[in-house]
């Protein structure tokens, strides 16, 4: 298993992780985060079904980025929907991504509220 496959495997299990761009540059076998290196990194991430936020990786190697597995059923899936929605053309008349994201967020909120109630909390995500 190479380092890119290892990263993809870890993300499929965890869902997401934050990394410095510098770490990705080293993973790509480069010394500096130039435009071509960033393009190569984005291609490698796509090949391994890894998404990233921001949607365009910065060339500043000190910046942190959020990586996520598009194969993860939980957080990775949620982040992939957010990413897709962020890139969607406002004129696009399809509402599928919005509906899917709304459904996932409602389920997550419901699970959190139910867990809070079972733990003796008030079942509210905020205090008034």
């Amino acid at each position: 298993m190479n380092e890119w496959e290892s990263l993809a495997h870890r993300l499929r299990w965890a869902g997401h992780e934050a990394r410095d761009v510098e770490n990705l540059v080293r993973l790509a076998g480069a010394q500096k985060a130039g435009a071509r290196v960033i393009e190569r990194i984005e291609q490698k991430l796509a090949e391994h079904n890894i998404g990233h936020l921001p949607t365009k990786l910065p060339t500043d190697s000190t910046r942190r980025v959020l990586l996520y597995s598009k194969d993860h059923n939980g957080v990775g899936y949620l982040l992939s929907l957010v990413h897709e929605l962020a890139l969607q053309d406002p004129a696009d008349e399809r509402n599928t991504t919005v509906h899917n994201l709304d459904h996932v967020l409602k389920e997550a909120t419901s699970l959190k509220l139910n867990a809070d109630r079972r733990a003796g909390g008030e079942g509210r995500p905020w205090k008034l």
Side-chain angles (χ1 to χ4, degrees):
M1 181 180 303
N2 70 33
E3 291 186 67
W4 291 105
E5 290 167 346
S6 178
L7 175 62
H9 177 74
R10 195 168 45 259
L11 289 171
R12 275 192 298 276
W13 181 81
H16 71 284
E17 76 179 42
R19 289 232 172 164
D20 290 334
V21 170
E22 180 178 1
N23 180 268
L24 297 173
V25 170
R26 302 257 184 269
L27 196 62
Q31 298 295 318
K32 192 174 178 185
R36 286 190 182 106
V37 171
I38 292 297
E39 186 177 309
R40 204 165 64 232
I41 291 169
E42 289 176 339
Q43 288 172 349
K44 278 292 194 184
L45 292 173
E47 286 172 17
H48 290 87
N49 219 16
I50 298 171
H52 53 85
L53 293 171
T55 58
K56 177 71 179 137
L57 294 177
T59 56
D60 178 352
S61 62
T62 64
R63 292 274 311 274
R64 300 220 11 115
V65 296
L66 189 66
L67 304 178
Y68 60 90
S69 172
K70 294 178 181 179
D71 297 327
H72 189 268
N73 290 335
V75 173
Y77 176 66
L78 178 65
L79 290 170
S80 70
L81 289 174
V82 170
H83 185 179
E84 184 180 328
L85 193 57
L87 295 176
Q88 192 170 329
D89 182 348
D92 189 341
E93 295 183 15
R94 294 175 296 150
N95 290 316
T96 307
T97 306
V98 172
H99 290 301
N100 289 343
L101 184 56
D102 183 49
H103 177 74
V104 169
L105 290 172
K106 283 179 180 172
E107 286 213 3
T109 301
S110 175
L111 290 172
K112 168 82 171 94
L113 291 175
N114 288 336
D116 286 351
R117 285 185 189 118
R118 282 193 301 276
E122 297 178 35
R124 292 185 303 195
W126 60 84
K127 299 266 184 200
L128 296 177

